[in-house]
Amino acid sequence: MSDYLTYVWRPVTGGRHAFPITATKTPAGTPVVAFCGAEADAAELHDRSEVDWIREDTCMHCWHALTTRP
């Protein structure tokens, strides 16, 4: 098991998805892909509010993808 963060959950348009940690370093205007395959602009991963977290449901496809990782 890694001692470092390898993924991050972010509420983007359409749900709260899990993204590889490298997506948080991606410049705005560049698409990033969640573990479920959903795409979002990298800018959506930054400056999310608590209200954003409440409004968006957790993506169960991302959840499943992470729980079945070796």
Side-chain angles (χ1 to χ4, degrees):
M1 179 180 268
S2 174
D3 290 339
Y4 300 100
L5 187 62
T6 59
Y7 63 89
V8 61
W9 287 92
R10 288 292 186 266
V12 297
T13 303
R16 188 172 33 245
H17 293 278
F19 292 88
I21 195 66
T22 55
T24 63
K25 307 281 190 227
T26 303
T30 305
V32 291
V33 180
F35 282 89
C36 69
E39 288 190 20
D41 186 305
E44 287 194 70
L45 275 60
H46 307 287
D47 301 323
R48 305 314 294 193
S49 71
E50 288 185 29
V51 173
D52 295 325
W53 279 88
I54 293 167
R55 283 191 191 139
E56 299 295 347
D57 291 329
T58 297
C59 173
M60 296 313 293
H61 297 287
C62 283
W63 185 273
H64 182 69
L66 291 172
T67 59
T68 58
R69 286 174 66 180

